[in-house]
Amino acid sequence: MRAAVETNPTQSYEGSKLEHIILNTIEQRSFVENHGTECFSGETSDDNIVLEKYDEIIKGGLPHMAHELWKYCALSLPPSSFINGNADVSLAYLDSESPLLNTFADAFLEPTEKRRNYAVLGSNRYFPKTMHGSFLSLSPSNAATVARKILKLIVETDLTVLGTSALLIPSALYSLVKYELVGTEIE
C-alpha cells in the first residue's frame, strides 16, 4: 500500500508530504527481487545475491532478518527510485509498531537547511554502542553508504550467526555512524 499525506495541516511546510510505503512480506520479497542488485552494488545485473540471501533467510526460519535485509535494501536506494522521481527527499524507516509514529511528521519532516541523521541509541547500561533498528533517518548524503554496508553485512554473514547474534546489526550500525561518518551528527 502507498499513501501520501499532508504533514501537520495547521502548519505550512511548503507542500511537504509524508509518503508511507507499507509492504507486506510478499511485497518485500518482490521489492528485493526488483531492486536487490541495485541495492547491493548501486548497479543492475542479473546476479541478485540479495534475493538469494533473502530466500535463504526465510527458509532458515528468520523472517525478522529478512525484514532487516529488505529495510536496508530500501534505504540504500536513492529516493528517486521509488518516490515520484524526487531525489531531494530524505528516506526514513519507522517500525509500524513504534510509538514514534504519532509524532514522526512533526518531529522530523520540517525542512531545515541542514539535513540531519537521527537514530535511537541503545541503553548505555544494557546495550552500549548500539542503535535500535525501529527508527533510522539518515541524511541523503549518508543513507546509501550506511544502508549498503549493513546490507552487505547481512548478505555476507552466515545464517547461523544471523540467527544467534541479536546485536550484530545494532552494533555495526552504531560503528558505521559513529566512526565512519565523521563530522555527522546523530540526535
Side-chain angles (χ1 to χ4, degrees):
M1 176 177 11
R2 183 180 207 144
V5 295
E6 291 288 335
T7 57
N8 198 340
T10 61
Q11 295 178 337
S12 174
Y13 295 148
E14 299 178 25
S16 63
K17 297 204 183 276
L18 170 61
E19 179 122 5
H20 298 274
I21 300 174
I22 304 163
L23 302 177
N24 64 32
T25 305
I26 294 168
E27 292 167 326
Q28 288 176 7
R29 188 192 183 280
S30 179
F31 183 93
V32 170
E33 183 176 16
N34 292 328
H35 298 285
T37 57
E38 185 183 358
C39 293
F40 193 70
S41 66
E43 302 172 4
T44 57
S45 77
D46 292 335
D47 187 23
N48 192 342
I49 61 174
V50 177
L51 180 61
E52 290 172 15
K53 188 65 170 193
Y54 185 93
D55 290 341
E56 178 188 353
I57 290 169
I58 290 293
K59 286 177 186 166
L62 300 171
H64 63 286
M65 267 302 159
H67 180 81
E68 291 295 304
L69 186 140
W70 163 79
K71 173 173 65 175
Y72 288 104
C73 180
L75 287 172
S76 73
L77 293 173
S80 59
S81 296
F82 50 92
I83 301 182
N84 302 327
N86 186 352
D88 194 33
V89 173
S90 290
L91 290 179
Y93 171 81
L94 184 62
D95 191 291
S96 64
E97 304 288 322
S98 174
L100 294 172
L101 192 58
N102 296 331
T103 60
F104 180 77
D106 295 334
F108 301 106
L109 293 181
E110 182 177 351
T112 63
E113 290 180 22
K114 180 180 175 186
R115 300 281 181 166
R116 295 188 172 204
N117 302 306
Y118 298 94
V120 178
L121 297 176
S123 163
N124 282 335
R125 183 173 180 188
Y126 298 109
F127 304 109
K129 297 184 180 178
T130 62
M131 287 186 177
H132 197 282
S134 67
F135 172 73
L136 180 62
S137 177
L138 298 171
S139 68
S141 62
N142 297 326
T145 302
V146 170
R148 278 201 181 105
K149 288 185 178 189
I150 296 296
L151 182 63
K152 185 176 184 191
L153 174 69
I154 295 170
V155 168
E156 294 177 351
T157 301
D158 183 72
L159 196 59
T160 304
V161 175
L162 289 176
T164 58
S165 301
L167 295 179
L168 177 70
I169 293 172
S171 297
L173 186 58
Y174 180 89
S175 293
L176 274 171
V177 174
K178 176 96 172 157
Y179 300 112
E180 292 194 29
L181 298 180
V182 177
T184 64
E185 295 179 44
I186 289 291
E187 297 190 7

